[in-house]
Amino acid sequence: MTLWNGSYPFYPGANACFPFDTTRAVIITIFLSMLVMFIIILPGIRGRGRLFWFLQLVLGLFLGAVVLTVQFTRDWETGWVQANTSYKSFSRAQVNVDIGLHIGLAGVNVTLRGNPVNQINETINYNEHFPWNFGADYDRSYSEGLEKGLPSPILYVAEQFSTQSPCAVHRQYRIAGHYASLALWLAFCTWLMSILLFSMSFPLYGGHMLLLTATLILFSLLFFFTMRNTLKCPIQFGPVSLRTDYGESFWLTLATGLLCLLLGLGIVTLNSLQPEKLKLIFSLQKSSKEEVWDKSCLPAEPSCSAQDVVMVPLGELCQVTVT
């Protein structure tokens, strides 16, 4: 087939990359809206309990937002490489590109960006997703990429994770992603239970739920860690190879799990050593200043007038003539 305007006619144009992840944006918007709503009613809380309540609110929403968001992120494992490589099949054209690999719990993203973006009369800016979650067929997505005529670097990287690849990492990554996702969904449920227990004035049981949440989060990291350290085929582009490492989602999940663990242990320990301070933090007991103020407002003894009214004999009451 002949060239037309410098490009092969059976290849489609480059897919436009969306500027941000819509799922992550929706989740963050929901939790920020909840935070703003609670901040509006914050002035209605009196005394020291306002600060403690605000800290509980921020920490609780942060934990929930992270546990829910990392389910849909695609940067648990990432890697970049810059290479000179062929652009498409049946073409000897060489391009200088940045090739990125982003592995999530639900699939693989392959990014291809030109240096510069406009080369050989084309805009080289691709971001293709190949899913392996429940209900998705990775091999079918890869076949559709072949039919669309995606650039060779993207197809080469995606082929390493297919079921037909000699690397045999598709099954391991898919199972590890499913188990990690299940553990995170259970962690989100236990987080909801902890928020409910804290709101019902049961801080000790809420602390236990936080410990369970931390355990589930750390188990999800363990599932992904075991897969990350298995042997994999090198992804080679001439003299350079594409190497991956733990991404932002992995480290953010680890920090969230450790934070849940510290908060849960702190609540349980404080309940054992100083339960009064724990009740004060969760506004279950009034502070000393508020108790002094309440006692100063209440009469220490019944007034003399009240005693006189009760103790006056009936014979000494004033007589009232009714006409």
Side-chain angles (χ1 to χ4, degrees):
M1 186 170 289
T2 58
L3 290 172
W4 182 74
N5 288 339
S7 63
Y8 288 94
F10 52 84
Y11 284 133
N15 293 336
C17 296
F18 208 72
F20 56 87
D21 188 353
T22 54
T23 304
R24 185 186 305 183
V26 170
I27 295 174
I28 294 176
T29 302
I30 292 175
F31 278 87
L32 285 179
S33 301
M34 295 173 61
L35 179 61
V36 171
M37 180 182 64
F38 285 114
I39 289 178
I40 292 175
I41 66 176
L42 186 63
I45 302 176
R46 297 179 180 178
R48 190 184 301 177
R50 179 186 302 174
L51 177 61
F52 292 140
W53 187 83
F54 180 73
L55 291 177
Q56 297 170 29
L57 173 66
V58 173
L59 288 175
L61 291 179
F62 172 77
L63 296 177
V66 171
V67 173
L68 186 59
T69 303
V70 293
Q71 287 272 6
F72 308 99
T73 54
R74 301 170 182 175
D75 55 353
W76 280 69
E77 184 179 348
T78 59
W80 285 91
V81 68
Q82 183 176 359
N84 291 316
T85 181
S86 60
Y87 182 51
K88 290 183 178 180
S89 302
F90 310 107
S91 175
R92 297 180 180 180
Q94 296 283 321
V95 292
N96 185 271
V97 291
D98 289 327
I99 306 168
L101 175 61
H102 313 277
I103 302 175
L105 301 182
V108 172
N109 262 59
V110 184
T111 304
L112 184 68
R113 298 175 183 172
N115 291 316
V117 177
N118 295 317
Q119 297 184 50
I120 58 172
N121 297 326
E122 288 194 26
T123 301
I124 305 176
N125 190 11
Y126 290 82
N127 185 16
E128 299 293 332
H129 180 62
F130 302 91
W132 57 47
N133 56 333
F134 288 111
D137 189 349
Y138 186 93
D139 291 338
R140 181 178 179 181
S141 300
Y142 176 72
S143 300
E144 291 176 353
L146 286 173
E147 294 175 0
K148 290 191 299 183
L150 292 177
S152 298
I154 295 179
L155 295 175
Y156 170 65
V157 175
E159 184 183 6
Q160 307 302 315
F161 297 90
S162 64
T163 57
Q164 306 299 326
S165 173
C167 296
V169 295
H170 174 83
R171 183 173 180 272
Q172 290 84 343
Y173 266 104
R174 188 171 183 266
I175 293 177
H178 289 172
Y179 278 107
S181 179
L182 177 61
L184 288 174
W185 279 119
L186 292 176
F188 183 74
C189 294
T190 55
W191 169 80
L192 288 176
M193 294 179 63
S194 68
I195 295 298
L196 181 62
L197 291 171
F198 286 139
S199 63
M200 295 175 62
S201 302
F202 294 112
L204 179 60
Y205 299 109
H208 290 161
M209 283 294 105
L210 279 181
L211 290 177
L212 183 56
T213 303
T215 303
L216 291 170
I217 293 175
L218 295 178
F219 265 109
S220 69
L221 295 173
L222 180 62
F223 292 139
F224 194 82
F225 173 79
T226 54
M227 183 57 250
R228 172 65 176 78
N229 287 272
T230 57
L231 295 177
K232 292 181 292 186
C233 298
I235 304 176
Q236 201 75 21
F237 291 94
V240 296
S241 60
L242 176 59
R243 302 182 183 274
T244 59
D245 202 353
Y246 296 115
E248 296 178 359
S249 295
F250 182 89
W251 296 116
L252 182 59
T253 306
L254 177 61
T256 304
L258 294 178
L259 180 59
C260 285
L261 183 64
L262 292 177
L263 291 176
L265 289 176
I267 292 174
V268 173
T269 304
L270 196 61
N271 181 79
S272 302
L273 301 178
Q274 295 180 340
E276 295 81 9
K277 289 188 176 181
L278 181 64
K279 293 180 180 179
L280 181 61
I281 291 175
F282 287 92
S283 302
L284 302 180
Q285 182 178 354
K286 296 181 179 180
S287 61
S288 58
K289 293 182 180 181
E290 292 177 348
E291 290 177 352
V292 171
W293 185 83
D294 290 342
K295 291 180 179 179
S296 64
C297 295
L298 295 175
E301 297 180 355
S303 62
C304 297
S305 59
Q307 291 182 358
D308 293 342
V309 171
V310 175
M311 299 303 294
V312 170
L314 294 176
E316 297 180 5
L317 293 176
C318 298
Q319 296 182 357
V320 181
T321 304
V322 180
T323 59

